[in-house]
Amino acid sequence: MTTLLPARRSGNGHRTYDEHDLKLLTQIRTLQDFGFELEETRPFVECLRAGHPEGDTCPASLAVYRRKLTELDSLIGELEAVRSEVGAQLERAERARARLAAEAAVPGGPEPVCELGGDGG
């Protein structure tokens, strides 16, 4: 496996990069900011290295975009399901709290107490 951004060395051993390297690095960083793993950026870098003006115009890059969108759609679906469950739990808890408060207003009814030792509010 080749390195995504190979470094050239100057006479004194320091790494040197040029404008093309900067474009590769910018492409990698942008994709990582969007949640792409480093290895997922490889097709984009290879597309740029092949001389394309943009790293996402090659078929392999487009395939990575498609896979990432499918992955994101799945995660969104999972989050929406969790959100729905949390919302239902909140509604149930609010109804239970309202019932306790109503019962507490009746003489002899139970006093709502917060399980953390608060005043129920």
Side-chain angles (χ1 to χ4, degrees), residues 7-99:
R8 291 172 297 286
R9 300 281 178 169
S10 64
N12 62 3
H14 290 95
R15 293 182 179 118
T16 61
Y17 300 98
D18 59 19
E19 287 299 317
H20 183 68
D21 295 327
L22 180 59
K23 188 167 187 169
L24 294 176
L25 183 60
T26 300
Q27 178 77 77
I28 293 168
R29 173 63 22 220
T30 299
L31 291 167
Q32 285 188 311
D33 288 347
F34 291 154
F36 287 71
E37 298 293 327
L38 185 59
E39 191 56 34
E40 291 175 307
T41 68
R42 185 173 297 280
F44 298 84
V45 170
E46 289 172 355
C47 189
L48 286 169
R49 282 192 182 134
H52 296 270
E54 300 297 328
D56 59 3
T57 56
C58 295
S61 302
L62 297 172
V64 172
Y65 274 153
R66 287 185 193 99
R67 279 194 308 273
K68 183 56 77 174
L69 282 175
T70 298
E71 178 185 320
L72 291 170
D73 287 342
S74 176
L75 289 171
I76 289 168
E78 291 173 22
L79 287 172
E80 286 174 339
V82 169
R83 186 187 190 293
S84 178
E85 289 178 31
V86 170
Q89 285 296 97
L90 174 61
E91 287 178 22
R92 181 208 50 79
E94 287 175 334
R95 283 192 308 272
R97 179 171 167 72
R99 272 194 311 275

